[in-house]
Amino acid sequence: MKFLGKPRSQTAASLPLCLIFLKILQPGHSHLYSNRYAGDKVIRLIPSTEEEVYTLKKICHRLKVDLWQPSSIAYVSEGTVTDVHIPHNGSRALLAFLQEANIPYKILIEDLQKVLEKGSSSQAQRNRRSLSEYNYEVYHSLEDLGRRSRAYKRAVWIDCGIHAREWIGPAFCQWFVKEALLTYRSDPTMRKMMNHLYFYIMPVFNVDGYHFSWTNDRFWRKTRSRNSRFRCRGVDANRNWKVKWCDEGASMHPCDDTYCGPFPESEPEVKAVANFLRKHKKHIRAYLSFHAYAQMLLYPYSYKYATIPNFSCVESAAYKAVNALRSAYGIRYRYGPASSTLYVSSGSSMDWAYKNGIPYTFAFELRDTGHFGFLLPEVLIKPTCTETMLAVKNIAMHLLKKCP
């Protein structure tokens, strides 16, 4: 194991939630993120007509919102999950619009800053723990993580945290390493996996972005690269790969969260991983990338509506994986091609890996479906990682068998 540093309306209809993240100034003081999220609210709404969707897109564009889910305003349609960060000076206008348009909504979180602060004391205690007391059931900053390295043979690549704010991803990568180390002798499945496969683990793909999400902006998504022409920083590292680069589902504007970058592999993080995968692609049989949130297991293609050549093998692996995952706590995952199951997006790591000869490529969208979103509580790390391990182990064992 090597430890390394336009959507279709029928798809949208299966995602019935629409969340709006509002910033409203309130008195108070906190040192966490300079109190920038004081009074933030999470609102769930359901646009029921195309006219409501159009109007919602229009006002969101005018207010220059920060999208959580989906990644682009173009994906918003009837019933789609839409998480939007609204600056405080636009919140009243949005609320007035919702009331005037008679679009029903429900406030799920009254004050987002308070939700963030709940974990701050435990984080401070965690910083004082010794390595022997390392806790895998809390989120860890970049400084908490370590490295391992070994030679390779037939292998599985796993990366987490390509999008900075999706903290449950890096938490799972750490969990996987812990399980591999601690259960090798007691778990026959883990032992078989480790004896026949090597695993390359990249616990935090987007290092600078992840660090920034801890220190400055909890909901930062992109990398932190500079742009010579714009003040906006960063590139969407999952739109920066050389596969239908900067086509549908990606933006050419540096200020957008889905900005594809000035050219493919412009980001050093993407370039480094792409070079590694190119070098070892003869040995790597599976590529797994962990994201959040939606509770989905996705496979190619993401950039087009088409069936991959080895569809039956991949579909079978996905079906068994989600069933294994569900067996732990009854959590249901949807599975299928990313383009039709989620939305069309170009320049993704999953499509690139598949196009470069890795036959089993998957992207997990971990818990939940929108109630907590990117703020999945630490109490849910263990069950999320436990059930996800079952899915990953199932996929790994699938690689060791002939495709049914």
Side-chain angles (χ1 to χ4, degrees), residues 26-30 35 38:
Q26 290 183 349
H29 175 74
S30 171
N35 205 40

Side-chain angles (χ1 to χ4, degrees), residues 11 15 35 74 89 100 106 114 189 203 214 245 248 252 306 345:
T11 300
L15 300 174
N35 205 40
N89 57 359
E100 183 179 351
K106 178 182 178 182
K114 291 180 179 179
T189 300
W214 275 78
W245 175 77
E248 186 173 356
M252 299 184 68
S345 61

Side-chain angles (χ1 to χ4, degrees), residues 59-231:
I59 193 169
C60 287
H61 180 75
R62 180 166 64 84
L63 295 175
K64 298 181 179 179
V65 302
D66 171 31
L67 283 157
W68 276 21
Q69 179 89 267
S71 57
S72 170
I73 195 68
Y75 296 143
V76 177
S77 60
E78 296 176 48
T80 55
V81 174
T82 307
D83 299 351
V84 188
H85 178 203
I86 311 291
H88 69 275
N89 57 359
S91 60
R92 289 185 180 180
L94 180 62
L95 289 172
F97 156 74
L98 294 175
Q99 294 168 1
E100 183 179 351
N102 200 28
I103 300 177
Y105 64 90
K106 178 182 178 182
I107 298 177
L108 299 180
I109 299 178
E110 286 288 347
D111 191 326
L112 194 59
Q113 184 72 28
K114 291 180 179 179
V115 176
L116 289 169
E117 305 258 340
K118 283 184 179 179
S120 62
S121 59
S122 63
Q123 291 168 8
Q125 294 173 2
R126 179 164 67 255
N127 290 337
R128 295 192 292 270
R129 291 177 181 150
S130 66
L131 185 61
S132 62
E133 297 173 317
Y134 194 86
N135 190 344
Y136 290 89
E137 296 181 33
V138 298
Y139 296 114
H140 289 273
S141 66
L142 195 63
E143 289 76 9
D144 289 341
L145 305 179
R147 293 172 180 263
R148 303 283 190 274
S149 63
R150 287 184 186 175
Y152 62 81
K153 53 183 178 184
R154 190 163 53 147
V156 175
W157 169 275
I158 297 177
D159 65 49
C160 300
I162 197 168
H163 291 141
R165 59 194 176 186
E166 299 167 9
W167 286 9
I168 188 59
F172 173 73
C173 268
Q174 297 168 68
W175 189 274
F176 181 91
V177 173
K178 182 263 296 186
E179 287 292 294
L181 295 174
L182 298 184
T183 69
Y184 174 79
R185 295 184 182 277
S186 60
D187 182 350
T189 300
M190 181 65 76
R191 187 162 56 251
K192 187 173 183 179
M193 286 166 50
M194 294 297 138
N195 286 345
H196 292 86
L197 296 167
Y198 276 118
F199 290 83
Y200 297 102
I201 313 296
M202 191 171 210
V204 184
F205 187 112
N206 180 3
V207 174
D208 293 338
Y210 183 67
H211 181 69
F212 192 74
S213 74
W214 275 78
T215 59
N216 293 80
D217 183 352
R218 174 61 183 85
F219 307 108
W220 186 257
R221 169 184 168 95
K222 301 187 287 183
T223 64
R224 292 293 298 161
S225 57
R226 295 181 181 275
N227 188 293
S228 59
R229 296 178 55 200
F230 293 84
R231 295 181 62 184

Side-chain angles (χ1 to χ4, degrees), residues 313 316-317 320 360 393-401 403-404:
C313 294
S316 174
K320 292 178 180 178
Y360 290 87
K393 289 163 76 172
N394 204 278
I395 291 173
M397 294 301 288
H398 190 90
L399 301 180
L400 302 178
K401 303 173 184 177
C403 181

Side-chain angles (χ1 to χ4, degrees), residues 286-291 297-300 313-315 317-319 321 350 359-364 395 399:
Y287 172 93
L288 310 179
S289 187
F290 290 84
H291 300 253
L297 178 54
L298 308 172
Y299 53 80
C313 294
V314 172
E315 173 83 357
Y319 170 77
M350 178 182 69
Y360 290 87
T361 66
F362 295 97
F364 282 79
I395 291 173
L399 301 180

